Structures are given as C-alpha cells and as structure tokens.
Amino acid sequence: FRRLLCLIGFLTLHKYSPAVYTRAYELFVALPLAAVVADQFFCIHGGISENIKTVDDIQNADRFQEPPQKGVMCDVLWADPMEEYDTYNGEERFFFNDVRSCSCVYSYKAVCEFLTRNNLRCIIRAHEAQDEG
C-alpha cells in the first residue's frame, strides 16, 4: 500500500505540484473498501472473514487509517479464497493466510453463507488473477 502511494507520489510530483499529489492521495484513501452493485454483486478487493458477517461490518470500519495487520480492513484487502476452494469439504470456514502472514483464507461454504446472510448473488474480487476466472 505504501509502495503504491510512494510510486503515485513520485509520478505525480514529477509532473504536477504537491497540491495535486495531496488531492490524489486524499482521493485514494477515501475510496470505498467494497461496494454492492445492482443489489446483488458484492465487489471487494480481497475477501471475507470471520470479522465480516454483513456488508454493514465493512461500512462501519474506519477507512481513514493505515491498513492494520488484523480486523475488517485488513481482511477486505488481503483475504483470499483457499487453494482447495471448490474441493475442500471440511467444516472450518476460515484459516490463517500463511501466504500473506495476515488475514485469512476462506472456503466455498463461507462464501455461500455470506451471500445468503446478505441476500447477494456473488462475490467479485479484484485482488489477483485466477487461471480459471
């Protein structure tokens, strides 16, 4: 996150004034953490967690802070579907995310429960490309 802001800052300051950089930074940190589109599609950067039962849990999170190492904002940014997402058949829904050393990985059952609880159709995430979409 900080590296991205530094790169944006460098590029902005190279071409524009510090005031433009400040406004760009303020805009970036004010972007929403997630969105519900057409009352059915939950759009998010990372994913869900035990900390996120409803969409309101994200709306109630403090957006104006450095991303913490745990909690709702961390999970929104860094949670991932588990590698065995479509084949895992256990009862656990969430596991620590060893790859990122923060947040969690979540199962298909966790997604189904979240979607049902929030009356949504699907989760659209943007964090990383997947071979099969």
Side-chain angles (χ1 to χ4, degrees), residues 16 19-20 25 64 66 73 79 85 92 120:
Y16 304 104
V20 172
Y25 174 81
F64 299 96
E66 280 291 317
M73 186 175 183
Y85 178 81
E92 291 294 318
L120 297 167

Side-chain angles (χ1 to χ4, degrees), residues 32-43:
L33 293 172
V36 175
V37 176
D39 293 324
Q40 42 185 337
F41 304 106
F42 182 64
C43 302

Side-chain angles (χ1 to χ4, degrees), residues 33 44 47-62 65 67-79 103:
L33 293 172
I44 193 163
I48 60 171
S49 73
E50 292 175 297
N51 297 313
I52 304 169
K53 304 286 187 215
T54 67
V55 174
D56 287 339
D57 293 333
I58 297 169
Q59 290 176 328
N60 295 330
D62 178 10
Q65 63 175 322
Q69 289 294 309
K70 62 182 179 178
V72 171
M73 186 175 183
C74 177
D75 299 333
V76 165
L77 296 172
W78 304 117
S103 192

Side-chain angles (χ1 to χ4, degrees), residues 79-93:
D80 293 312
M82 62 190 329
E83 287 290 327
E84 312 81 26
Y85 178 81
D86 53 352
T87 59
Y88 172 74
N89 210 14
E91 290 303 312
E92 291 294 318
R93 306 299 197 250

Side-chain angles (χ1 to χ4, degrees), residues 43-46 124-129:
C43 302
I44 193 163
H45 178 75
I124 300 170
R125 64 188 301 267
H127 186 70
E128 60 186 344

